[in-house]
Amino acid sequence: MKFPKFADLILFENDDVIVVNKPPFLSSLDEREGGEVNLLRLAKAYWDDAQICHRLDKETSGALIIAKNPEAYRLVSMQFEKRQVKKVYHAIIDGTHTFDNLLIDLPILNVGKGNVTISRQEGKRAETWFQSLKYFKHYTLVECRPVTGRMHQIRIHLATQRASIAGDDMYKGEPVFLSKIKRKYHLGKDQEELPIMKRFALHAYEVTFKINADTAITIHAPYPKDFETLLKLLEKFDS
């Protein structure tokens, strides 16, 4: 896959940190040994001492913080550890759900090989707040505010509410097809319909953190093209 130039991903930069709008399908760090392009490599080619302060799933797009020196990395990492970084995600979920500042507080156990499960006995504490933003006939746009930062936290917490993220097959989320939302939709002969979005619909919309002891900033990451297209089509055919 061809990814944009690193400089074109930058939303904010000063002497200590860079915040980028991570494209979907780009790993944050090296996943396996091999030549796969990832965000860390692109960042290091731009700035030698670049270090990634947190991760987003490969398919998730949005705001990601990169430190330009060890002091900045420590400062940001401490804020993540103390849960002082405010993260806001947007997700498009299956079904119409009215979440009015709903708190899901279910412990998550990492069972290895990229899999997690809910476990009240062995899981680590995981909390996410959910707020419905926009309703469609078959889907809902929701704001997700994770307090903790467990792997797949938002995805599995939504799945426990029978509100899986659209396209998230790992957690029973169905891909969105135009034929489902557009009346009288006809496919040509021998044509195979592809989903509107080729990934699960989750975007890291906003991040708030301190860039030094006194100054906090909020950076907003615009939706990538695929997320925006899906929303526009839902507004047109499913509202």
Side-chain angles (χ1 to χ4, degrees):
M1 259 190 98
K2 201 171 181 308
F3 294 109
K5 281 199 190 89
F6 184 81
D8 295 339
L9 303 175
I10 296 172
L11 299 168
F12 172 85
E13 181 177 10
N14 67 6
D15 292 342
D16 297 309
V17 295
I18 305 166
V19 182
V20 295
N21 193 354
K22 181 183 103 53
F25 307 112
L26 181 65
S27 300
S28 303
L29 305 167
D30 283 311
E31 284 195 318
R32 292 174 289 276
E33 295 306 312
E36 197 174 281
V37 179
N38 61 62
L39 195 61
L40 181 61
R41 280 192 209 177
L42 296 179
K44 281 189 175 294
Y46 176 85
W47 190 268
D48 280 348
D49 292 333
Q51 271 183 292
I52 285 183
C53 300
H54 56 121
R55 296 177 73 157
L56 292 175
D57 288 339
K58 187 174 179 177
E59 289 186 37
T60 305
S61 52
L64 192 114
I65 307 165
I66 298 165
K68 291 170 82 173
N69 54 60
E71 294 74 30
Y73 182 73
R74 265 197 299 278
L75 175 74
V76 177
S77 297
M78 285 309 293
Q79 292 174 67
F80 272 105
E81 226 165 274
K82 294 177 179 169
R83 300 185 185 147
Q84 291 164 342
V85 179
K86 285 192 187 128
K87 295 164 289 179
V88 177
Y89 290 75
H90 283 187
I92 297 166
I93 58 172
D94 291 341
T96 306
H97 300 271
T98 310
F99 296 145
D100 186 10
N101 250 357
L102 170 74
L103 174 64
I104 303 294
D105 179 1
L106 289 170
I108 292 173
L109 177 67
N110 189 335
V111 290
K113 291 193 175 165
N115 292 305
V116 301
T117 184
I118 300 289
S119 169
R120 291 178 194 277
Q121 284 75 38
E122 300 167 80
K124 288 184 172 170
R125 189 171 153 217
E127 293 177 8
T128 320
W129 293 90
F130 295 102
Q131 177 70 42
S132 298
L133 298 176
K134 198 159 199 181
Y135 303 102
F136 303 101
K137 280 181 197 153
H138 302 94
Y139 300 94
T140 312
L141 174 68
V142 290
E143 179 184 276
C144 322
R145 299 189 309 278
V147 180
T148 48
R150 307 286 171 224
M151 184 173 166
H152 295 188
Q153 178 174 317
I154 293 170
R155 296 164 63 191
I156 197 167
H157 274 177
L158 281 166
T160 65
Q161 303 307 297
R162 300 210 170 121
S164 299
I165 297 174
D168 192 358
D169 56 1
M170 190 175 224
Y171 297 103
K172 298 189 165 65
E174 301 281 335
V176 186
F177 291 100
L178 196 53
S179 57
K180 183 178 172 182
I181 58 172
K182 187 180 179 184
R183 289 176 65 192
K184 298 181 181 166
Y185 174 80
H186 294 299
L187 256 189
K189 195 172 176 271
D190 298 332
Q191 272 187 309
E192 188 195 350
E193 190 183 3
L194 294 171
I196 297 166
M197 220 171 149
K198 293 179 174 65
R199 63 179 178 111
F200 53 79
L202 180 63
H203 176 69
Y205 184 75
E206 210 173 74
V207 65
T208 302
F209 66 106
K210 281 190 167 171
I211 46 173
N212 56 44
D214 310 308
T215 317
I217 57 162
T218 296
I219 303 296
H220 159 70
Y223 293 145
K225 206 171 163 187
D226 61 352
F227 198 98
E228 205 175 325
T229 300
L230 177 54
L231 269 182
K232 278 184 180 158
L233 289 168
L234 289 175
E235 276 161 17
K236 191 171 176 184
F237 298 118
D238 201 48
S239 50

